Amino acid sequence: MTNHEMIASTKIDLWQQLYSTWLTTELFSFTWWFSVLFLVTSYFIWWKLLEKSKLVELLLFGSLIAVMSAFIDLIAENLVLWQYTVKILPFSPAFFPFHLTLAPIALMLVYQYSDSWNKFLMYSVIAGGIYAFAIIPLFVLVGEVRLIHWNYFNNFITFLARAIFCRWILLQCLQTQTSYQGHSANRQFFKPICQPTSKPVHLPKEDYDNPKK
């Protein structure tokens, strides 16, 4: 048996054990129901508060947060910084309720109501405090997650780091988009939540005198 075959066999055995544990211990437990109800409520509140006209921009920002969060979680799990004890679905990532739902939802709302860096930083600090010092301890209390070589302050710092970095990335993308829209003859006007700084496009005088050639 080759190494690849041994790895595949081990994965099958591990999956069977994980699925058996999920089916007999995790499914419909108090922690499982708590997670499901918490997520449903979070999505409901988010959808009610969401500015639907900016849906694409907000989802792009939320996706950036989710991707970065998943990367951080992959590193943390390999270093055994924390551990998840309950999954909502047997094949879903264990970090789904936190890094792919709660953090992106919270920061999408922060982004939505922030048209400047000052507002964004202030709201991010507030949201990060609630997330790190209220929501995470609550999930620790009900047994959803167990912190091993980690603490709540570290959650707060990484929350802010994700927020700042992803907003900066998105602003760079909007800056690039704006510059190309300025040179496009058949452009569609798009007004993002966060207006990137760009120089106005000045048309030659003859274009104003003869708009249709």
Side-chain angles (χ1 to χ4, degrees):
M1 181 179 292
T2 64
N3 288 337
H4 291 293
E5 290 174 339
M6 291 177 62
I7 292 173
S9 177
T10 301
K11 285 183 176 180
I12 293 174
D13 292 338
L14 179 61
W15 161 250
Q16 291 175 346
Q17 293 179 27
L18 290 173
Y19 180 72
S20 176
T21 300
W22 179 83
L23 198 62
T24 58
T25 305
E26 300 175 20
L27 182 62
F28 302 137
S29 65
F30 170 81
T31 304
W32 186 90
W33 280 113
F34 178 86
S35 300
V36 170
L37 293 176
F38 197 97
L39 290 181
V40 170
T41 303
S42 299
Y43 276 115
F44 177 78
I45 294 174
W46 170 73
W47 184 252
K48 286 294 183 181
L49 297 177
L50 183 70
E51 188 177 349
K52 311 301 190 298
S53 62
K54 305 296 183 181
L55 182 62
V56 173
E57 183 182 354
L58 291 168
L59 287 179
L60 175 57
F61 178 71
S63 298
L64 290 173
I65 294 292
V67 169
M68 187 174 180
S69 299
F71 178 72
I72 292 174
D73 194 275
L74 179 62
I75 296 174
E77 281 202 291
N78 287 331
L79 296 176
V80 196
L81 300 180
W82 58 70
Q83 181 184 36
Y84 301 103
T85 58
V86 174
K87 286 184 177 182
I88 293 179
L89 296 174
F91 45 82
S92 66
F95 54 83
F96 175 78
F98 306 96
H99 296 321
L100 298 185
T101 300
L102 297 180
I105 282 178
L107 286 172
M108 275 190 282
L109 293 178
V110 167
Y111 180 89
Q112 173 177 303
Y113 293 109
S114 305
D115 56 0
S116 67
W117 272 110
N118 287 337
K119 285 185 179 179
F120 183 80
L121 292 174
M122 180 180 66
Y123 294 154
S124 294
V125 168
I126 296 173
I130 296 173
Y131 178 83
F133 301 113
I135 294 178
I136 297 299
L138 181 61
F139 276 90
V140 170
L141 181 64
V142 300
E144 174 80 11
V145 63
R146 185 168 67 94
L147 303 183
I148 302 174
H149 302 293
W150 199 249
N151 57 54
Y152 301 127
F153 183 75
N154 290 339
N155 275 321
F156 176 73
I157 295 300
T158 55
F159 186 93
L160 289 183
R162 280 175 279 172
I164 293 170
F165 180 75
C166 290
R167 187 179 192 269
W168 180 81
I169 289 292
L170 184 54
L171 286 179
Q172 300 311 304
C173 293
L174 292 175
Q175 180 73 47
T176 302
Q177 175 178 285
T178 301
S179 64
Y180 275 92
Q181 283 181 332
H183 295 287
S184 175
N186 298 315
R187 62 184 180 274
Q188 293 183 345
F189 294 98
F190 169 66
K191 185 178 180 182
I193 295 172
C194 301
Q195 295 289 346
T197 303
S198 60
K199 296 180 180 179
V201 178
H202 298 286
L203 296 176
K205 185 177 184 301
E206 57 268 25
D207 288 345
Y208 287 103
D209 297 334
N210 301 294
K212 295 183 180 180
K213 293 184 179 181

